[in-house]
DNA sequence: AAGAGTATGTTAGAATTACTAACATCGATG
DNA sequence: CATCGATGTTAGTAATTCTAACATACTCTT
């Protein structure tokens, strides 16, 4: 209370800034939210406010999309990497896609021509920009 | 071009966020700008955008104000600490207030009762909030 | 005590930015 | 070719911010 701390989870950025930072359109960002890949905070007046973590995640999404992975795949990937962090949690949520389904998804995506291995630039993790 | 870097000088935050972060009213922030203590960037549509440095500076201003120093004094203090950084610069700008004037200002401010030595909390430098 | 100056509050009206929802497009896929 | 998935575009509405003006509460000066 009163004192203000800046954390990576703190909602700070309006969508206009995030668009520039992540080089994404508002439409794209909202679409990813619609698919629950991000969950930015809201102001009292319902404007989205993004944290540094949100932006990192957007960059990850962008990266994965460029590799030809679709919403469902990305969602699954995030679910997995989240599970790794809470490994052993007895309350761990059951993922919507089984591992089999993910394998199928990825196999399908892999076969789509011209998309894979285009950008080898690691996009994610905005923190490297700070000094 | 194209790639986006986040620097401490990068204009990122709308005034609403800065108000929360620095615990200042919009009126205060705009007033300090009016007195050239800060110079936030603007969007194309003329909305202010503040950098991390701007926010640090706002916290410094707040701190100095709480110590009873006025706009002119703060401006001078900033001018001095800026000069220290470019010490020896043959093009160094001549300050609007002479050192004598500053001494008088500060002496006057020192004598004002009830304001001095109230908060011993160091406010400035937002960077300590990051991890 | 009256007047002037300083920092801030408040209000009004205009302009920008963001929101949702709907419809359009375009490439890949069955 | 009819769908689907990701994104563009548009319209209408609502939130946020802007400037400018006037108000207030102190402090200082005379």
């Amino acid at each position: 209370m009163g004192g203000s701390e800046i954390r990576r989870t703190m909602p700070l950025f309006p969508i206009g800034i995030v668009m520039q930072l992540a080089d994404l359109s508002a439409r794209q960002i909202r679409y990813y939210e619609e698919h629950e890949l991000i969950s930015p905070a809201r102001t009292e007046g319902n404007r989205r406010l993004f944290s540094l973590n949100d932006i990192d995640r957007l960059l990850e999404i962008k990266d994965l999309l460029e590799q030809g992975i679709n919403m469902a795949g990305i969602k699954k990937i995030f679910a997995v990497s989240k599970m790794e962090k809470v490994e052993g949690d007895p309350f761990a949520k059951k993922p919507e896609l089984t591992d089999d389904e993910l394998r199928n998804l990825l196999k399908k995506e892999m076969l789509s021509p011209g998309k894979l291995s285009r950008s080898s630039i690691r996009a994610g993790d905005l923190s490297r920009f700070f000094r």
Side-chain angles (χ1 to χ4, degrees), chain A residues 100-114:
Chain A
D100 249 27
E101 286 168 336
L102 177 62
R103 262 188 295 279
N104 281 331
L105 257 172
L106 293 181
K107 201 178 79 179
K108 244 181 15 180
E109 300 292 344
M110 289 302 134
L111 295 178
S112 77

Side-chain angles (χ1 to χ4, degrees), chain A residues 50-118:
Chain A
F50 299 78
S51 68
L52 287 168
N53 278 346
D54 288 329
I55 298 176
D56 277 349
R57 178 166 276 229
L58 283 172
L59 292 173
E60 285 185 67
I61 294 170
K62 194 182 176 186
D63 194 32
L64 293 171
L65 274 173
E66 279 167 1
Q67 295 177 43
I69 303 173
N70 65 9
M71 296 292 117
I74 296 174
K75 192 168 179 179
K76 176 67 181 178
I77 289 169
F78 284 165
V80 168
S81 65
K82 187 183 178 183
M83 281 210 312
E84 279 167 4
K85 289 176 189 167
V86 290
E87 207 168 10
D89 180 354
F91 294 96
K93 215 175 76 184
K94 184 169 179 256
E96 287 87 353
L97 275 66
T98 66
D99 287 352
D100 249 27
E101 286 168 336
L102 177 62
R103 262 188 295 279
N104 281 331
L105 257 172
L106 293 181
K107 201 178 79 179
K108 244 181 15 180
E109 300 292 344
M110 289 302 134
L111 295 178
S112 77
K115 281 191 166 181
L116 196 50
S117 70
R118 234 197 281 116

Side-chain angles (χ1 to χ4, degrees), chain A residues 2-79:
Chain A
S4 52
E5 280 193 32
I6 291 189
R7 303 209 166 289
R8 297 195 60 78
T9 62
M10 187 175 236
L12 292 173
F13 308 100
I15 199 169
I17 292 292
V18 176
M19 289 170 61
Q20 297 179 201
L21 251 31
D23 191 36
L24 291 169
S25 70
R27 183 70 170 93
Q28 288 175 302
I29 296 171
R30 297 193 189 113
Y31 185 70
Y32 305 154
E33 180 185 19
E34 205 175 323
H35 285 264
E36 299 177 280
L37 299 183
I38 47 170
S39 297
R42 298 284 181 134
T43 66
E44 280 191 14
N46 201 38
R47 267 85 239 276
R48 270 166 268 253
L49 278 187
F50 299 78
S51 68
L52 287 168
N53 278 346
D54 288 329
I55 298 176
D56 277 349
R57 178 166 276 229
L58 283 172
L59 292 173
E60 285 185 67
I61 294 170
K62 194 182 176 186
D63 194 32
L64 293 171
L65 274 173
E66 279 167 1
Q67 295 177 43
I69 303 173
N70 65 9
M71 296 292 117
I74 296 174
K75 192 168 179 179
K76 176 67 181 178
I77 289 169
F78 284 165

